[in-house]
Amino acid sequence: MAGNNYFFVGIGGSGMMPLAMILAGQGAEVAGSDRGLDQGRVAAKFAALRALGITLHPQDGSGVTRADQIVVASAAVEASVPDIVAADRVGARRLSRAELLSTLFNRAGTSIGVAGTSGKSTVTGMIGWILHALDREPTVMNGAVMKNFARPEAPFASALVGDGGPFVSEVDESDGSIALYNPVVAVLNNVSLDHKSLDELRALFGGFIGRAKAAVVNADDAEAAALLAAHAPATVARFSIAGAAGATHAATDIVEEPFAAAFTLVVRGAVAGRVRLNVPGRHNVANALAALAAVEAAGVPLAGAMAAIEDFKGLKRRMDLVGTAGGIGVIDDFAHNPDKIAATLDTLHAFPGRLLLLFQPHGYGPLKVMRAELVESLAARLNAEDQLVLCDPAYFGGTVSREVTSADIVADLVARGAPARHIADRAAAAEALVAAARPGDRIVVMGARDDSLSELAAQMLARVAERV
């Protein structure tokens, strides 16, 4: 990448920022713009990019001035954005984020792609940490901050730049770009509704594992298991926490703790040993099985991988305990689709205490696609004493259809007898839950595509501390 000049439109996005960091770390000249920068949101993120030598511009076209710039944008960036207009005017080459990332990924000698509706970031982080701990010099492209690599001077560690080792990346099905990736090892966690129909997802995920040399697939997920049967490559690993027949990597004797989990690892019918994770929930036990099977498929000795994964600290905004005050805990969580919400609520309900949930949906489009499944997931898991407040969905500008709103979801939930309210303003929603909190409660801030949710969680903790 040395010598190339890249301009990222929307450089602060969860998929764009780590890619920009990787290119800068590999010697490319990197600049960019972001609507969040112009709006003054999450200033620390943009300070971290500047600290890496990345130049930032307003999103007004002023940063795109030369034909030799390569202008990179995600699928969410519209053609009317001034930087895209400027790119066309000066004749700059344009690439989608997925085109650029897949090029880097496919060039790697050992590429490990992690796909699925849920769990991608955690499994990617686990794999990256194992490879790093065992001196394999991986490059890791993640959509979330990996706590193991975060430092005071580099708090937004969603990427790791290695030295010619494996390339590990989560790959996205929401825009169909998963079709661009040709993995050596393909991991498929699960298949469920989020952005696309099931028929579309089956085609995308089936092609992904079919192009791989080795596939690691969740045997407990009926859709994923069926795809593996139809598209199996030469080498296959199946993981299970539920005793699925034919599983090559299984977890037994699972013991859950509030912020940890332990299990016995069984590989191809033989007990490999006991593993204790520093992340909670049965879903993270499944994630660990996926990571262990993936690194084994990439040639890593299992014993070393088992030891390394115990030191995995987790990801920011994944069941992330912000702090406690007066016996009230505040948790920051990325849960936003039915599967992720189910994992969060199931994990937290394994222990005593009410749940006070503030959920900001990540867009109007996803609400329309997954309305029924989202309502079912929440209604089935909310206890009578819990409180759920939905504010209006995240919106940062651009064209959007508002056919289904947070109020519609709440109306569906109330009709099911669930304890849900709609408070449109996010600050007011937060204040309502802070006022309701009592010792033993867990306040959970849930949502995606909005880094300011972490700031909100910290503010809610501070308000709880003031109140108690």
Side-chain angles (χ1 to χ4, degrees), residues 63-388:
V64 182
T65 59
R66 308 194 313 272
D68 65 344
Q69 288 175 291
I70 301 171
V71 176
V72 184
S74 71
V77 175
E78 298 172 322
S80 59
V81 170
D83 290 336
I84 301 300
V85 174
D88 292 340
R89 183 178 65 252
V90 301
R93 181 186 176 193
R94 286 172 51 187
L95 285 177
S96 71
R97 168 194 168 274
E99 288 170 336
L100 178 55
L101 175 57
S102 63
T103 298
L104 299 177
F105 180 89
N106 293 337
R107 286 177 181 172
T110 301
S111 54
I112 304 174
V114 183
T117 314
S118 300
K120 294 189 292 292
S121 297
T122 297
V123 175
T124 299
M126 287 177 166
I127 294 171
W129 171 247
I130 292 168
L131 295 173
H132 174 80
L134 299 179
D135 299 320
R136 298 302 177 100
E137 290 291 341
T139 293
V140 184
M141 164 75 196
N142 207 331
V145 173
M146 298 173 282
K147 292 182 180 179
N148 288 84
F149 303 118
R151 306 182 306 279
E153 67 275 16
F156 295 90
S158 55
L160 180 69
V161 181
D163 187 15
F167 197 113
V168 186
S169 180
E170 58 173 295
V171 296
D172 189 12
E173 81 287 351
S174 66
D175 60 358
S177 62
I178 189 175
L180 300 174
Y181 297 84
N182 301 312
V184 172
V185 179
V187 180
L188 180 56
N189 287 339
N190 38 53
V191 180
S192 62
L193 287 173
D194 192 341
H195 300 277
K196 291 185 175 295
S197 70
L198 276 177
D199 285 342
E200 291 174 296
L201 293 175
R202 289 169 184 141
L204 291 169
F205 287 136
F208 175 69
I209 60 177
R211 293 190 298 275
K213 293 183 179 179
V216 176
V217 174
N218 185 357
D220 296 331
D221 184 277
E223 286 285 348
L227 287 177
L228 182 61
H231 302 276
T235 302
V236 169
R238 299 174 176 87
F239 63 92
S240 171
I241 64 170
T248 58
H249 295 70
T252 62
D253 305 316
I254 299 172
V255 177
E256 295 188 66
E257 302 174 32
F259 287 93
F263 63 96
T264 297
L265 175 63
V266 180
V267 179
R268 298 176 187 89
V271 173
R274 193 76 180 161
V275 177
R276 185 179 186 276
L277 303 174
N278 279 301
V279 289
R282 295 175 64 87
H283 63 292
N284 273 323
V285 174
N287 289 336
L289 292 179
L292 291 168
V295 297
E296 186 184 39
V300 173
L302 191 59
M306 291 170 61
I309 202 170
E310 293 196 344
D311 293 325
F312 176 68
K313 298 178 181 178
L315 308 177
K316 291 284 189 182
R317 301 218 66 236
R318 302 307 191 272
M319 288 284 292
D320 193 4
L321 180 64
V322 181
T324 59
I328 300 165
V330 177
I331 295 168
D332 186 20
D333 193 60
F334 190 68
H336 62 279
N337 65 34
D339 282 354
K340 289 182 173 71
I341 288 170
T344 293
L345 299 191
D346 288 347
T347 298
L348 291 173
H349 273 315
F351 302 94
R354 293 192 307 167
L355 301 183
L356 307 185
L357 309 171
L358 190 158
F359 177 32
Q360 176 182 279
H362 61 295
Y364 290 92
L367 277 188
K368 179 181 177 181
V369 170
M370 60 185 181
R371 177 177 183 171
E373 291 77 10
L374 181 62
V375 170
E376 176 61 33
S377 183
L378 286 164
R381 289 172 175 82
L382 288 168
N383 292 341
E385 67 272 17
D386 294 335
Q387 294 188 28
L388 169 65

Side-chain angles (χ1 to χ4, degrees), residues 380-406:
R381 289 172 175 82
L382 288 168
N383 292 341
E385 67 272 17
D386 294 335
Q387 294 188 28
L388 169 65
V389 176
L390 270 75
C391 61
D392 284 347
Y395 175 69
F396 305 116
T399 303
V400 62
S401 172
R402 305 190 182 199
E403 293 180 52
V404 177
T405 68
S406 292

